[in-house]
């Protein structure tokens, strides 16, 4: 089993941080989807309520009821504006989370590449040592044999 490099500790730490960043990004993406869905739901509800108001106005609508509809539509518009802000904030958090994850991933890839390079250098040095030892054994066998065979 290859010897563990000091760089392996950094790689393991960065892998953990990359995994954590990926989990955070997933959570942020889920929050963004939820915020977008709530916004879409509010917008659809407003459209439906507005369509209902239009239909009632065609039939004739008392002023008090019309004011109630208008007030409720204004309240819905406020809620939609708030939800838009929440959705925009969620999108911004996703963008920041993605950048954070990409930074960690890039660092992890750098550590992996560096560790692989060090391992290849160690294997090359080990292969050279083994070859030198093999050559030395062969040379000893050659020089240790008698020059002339004894009859």
């Amino acid at each position: 089993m290859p010897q563990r490099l000091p760089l392996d500790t950094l790689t393991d730490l960065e892998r953990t941080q990359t995994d954590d960043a990926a989990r955070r990004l997933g959570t942020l993406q889920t929050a963004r989807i939820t915020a977008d869905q709530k916004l879409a739901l509010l917008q659809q509800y407003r459209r439906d309520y507005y369509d209902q108001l239009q239909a009632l106005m065609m039939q004739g609508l008392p002023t008090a009821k019309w004011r109630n509809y208008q007030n409720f539509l204004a309240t819905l518009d406020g809620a939609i504006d708030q939800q838009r802000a929440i959705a925009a904030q969620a999108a911004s958090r996703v963008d920041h989370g993605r950048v954070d994850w990409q930074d960690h991933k890039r660092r992890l890839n750098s550590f992996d590449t560096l560790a692989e390079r060090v391992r290849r250098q160690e294997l090359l040095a080990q292969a050279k040592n083994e070859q030198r030892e093999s050559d030395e054994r062969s040379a000893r066998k050659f020089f240790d044999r008698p020059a002339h065979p004894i009859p």
Side-chain angles (χ1 to χ4, degrees):
M1 187 159 137
Q3 184 178 355
R4 196 159 157 78
L5 302 172
L7 187 59
D8 290 340
T9 303
L10 289 174
T11 302
D12 291 345
L13 178 61
E14 191 58 43
R15 183 170 286 111
T16 299
Q17 290 177 349
T18 301
D19 292 346
D20 290 346
R23 276 189 286 284
R24 283 190 305 272
L25 179 57
T27 300
L28 292 171
Q29 287 173 327
T30 299
R32 179 183 182 182
I33 289 168
T34 300
D36 289 343
Q37 288 172 340
K38 285 180 182 178
L39 177 59
L41 185 64
L42 281 170
Q43 290 170 330
Q44 182 61 48
Y45 186 60
R46 191 206 186 280
R47 278 190 297 277
D48 293 345
Y49 201 78
Y50 181 79
D51 292 344
Q52 183 182 8
L53 172 62
Q54 293 300 315
L56 287 173
M57 285 177 46
M58 296 294 272
Q59 299 170 2
L61 186 65
T63 306
K65 205 168 188 180
W66 178 81
R67 264 192 229 114
N68 287 342
Y69 268 87
Q70 289 299 324
N71 288 339
F72 189 68
L73 284 172
T75 302
L76 277 175
D77 289 339
I80 288 170
D81 288 342
Q82 285 179 337
Q83 192 60 38
R84 266 195 195 106
I86 291 169
Q89 192 176 47
S92 177
R93 286 182 180 151
V94 167
D95 292 342
H96 287 19
R98 184 177 295 115
V99 168
D100 183 48
W101 173 76
Q102 288 170 337
D103 288 344
H104 283 292
K105 186 68 174 160
R106 195 172 9 264
R107 286 175 53 189
L108 176 60
N109 289 342
S110 296
F111 287 148
D112 281 341
T113 300
L114 187 56
E116 185 59 33
R117 189 175 302 144
V118 167
R119 282 191 180 86
R120 272 185 282 161
Q121 289 171 346
E122 286 178 348
L123 287 174
L124 184 61
Q126 182 182 2
K128 284 182 181 180
N129 284 340
E130 289 173 1
Q131 183 63 47
R132 185 177 58 246
E133 289 171 5
S134 175
D135 291 347
E136 287 174 3
R137 278 193 303 274
S138 296
R140 268 187 256 127
K141 283 183 184 178
F142 179 75
F143 288 116
D144 288 348
R145 71 183 171 116
H148 298 284
I150 300 178

